[in-house]
Amino acid sequence: MENEKVLEELDKRIKRLEAEIELVENRLRYLDEIGAPSKYRAFRRKDYSIYYLLLMGVWMLVGFLALMSIRNRLPGEINIPLLPYLFVALTAIVFPLIYLLWSKREEPKTPMDELEERERLARLVLSLFYRPLRKAIEDGDREALRSLADELLTNPILAEAVERMNEGDPKLMAYALYLYTSYQKGMEGELKEVLSSLHNKPLKALLSTLAEA
């Protein structure tokens, strides 16, 4: 069977990812048992001074609006320069909002966050790529292989998961699948070039069947 080696390589990758998921699950279970989630949350101390600054800015803005609403009803003229006051009030509001948005993006991940993210990525690669790829190769379904190539190029979630799990370059992997499904005589040079650049072992084994044919 010409695809026996390909399926063997695929099974190795699938088992490796399944083992990693199981390892992460066991690790998360252990951390949960020793109360690690609450400990990690305690490390994330918040600086509430930024909220006080935001509250002060809102308070100043409310005061400015109140002053504007009553100034025409007061006797005489108010000589307080209102524009600098408004500028200070808006600055006191905008700056804390920008800081809060930035700090949420930059908040460091805990070890548990990283483990959960690793597990999520492994599951995505398995469910969206390797298992459908195995079935397509087993069935000899070239249309399904082309669909997988499309998915690698159009699904940013899958592409990111493939990259972060070090499964290869999603674009090159998609190109390898397109090449396999449309290969014909005269494309030997292109095949050789892709094989030299491709690092994903199952797809490399798949393309190698063309070179051996």
Side-chain angles (χ1 to χ4, degrees), residues 159-192:
E160 182 188 11
V162 165
E163 282 186 317
R164 292 179 62 184
M165 293 302 293
N166 296 318
E167 298 301 319
D169 180 350
K171 291 179 181 177
L172 185 58
M173 290 163 65
Y175 185 67
L177 287 171
Y178 287 133
L179 179 60
Y180 179 80
T181 57
S182 60
Y183 185 77
Q184 51 190 290
K185 194 172 181 180
M187 300 176 72
E188 292 84 2
E190 191 174 348
L191 175 63
K192 186 177 179 181

Side-chain angles (χ1 to χ4, degrees), residues 9-67:
E9 286 292 345
L10 266 171
D11 287 338
K12 284 180 185 176
R13 304 303 281 181
I14 288 170
K15 286 176 183 176
R16 184 184 68 78
L17 288 170
E18 287 175 340
E20 183 161 352
I21 290 170
E22 185 179 357
L23 184 66
V24 169
E25 286 177 342
N26 291 337
R27 183 64 177 163
L28 287 171
R29 197 177 300 116
Y30 169 74
L31 290 172
D32 189 54
E33 286 171 0
I34 64 173
S38 58
K39 292 177 184 177
Y40 287 135
R41 278 195 293 270
F43 291 145
R44 291 177 170 174
R45 300 174 187 245
K46 289 189 175 180
D47 180 8
Y48 289 98
S49 61
I50 199 72
Y51 294 98
Y52 296 137
L53 181 59
L54 179 61
L55 182 61
M56 184 180 74
V58 172
W59 182 259
M60 289 175 67
L61 184 61
V62 169
F64 172 79
L65 294 175
L67 185 59

Side-chain angles (χ1 to χ4, degrees), residues 62-78 82:
V62 169
F64 172 79
L65 294 175
L67 185 59
M68 288 294 292
S69 66
I70 66 170
R71 66 183 297 187
N72 293 330
R73 285 180 276 173
L74 294 176
E77 292 186 4
I78 299 177
L82 297 180

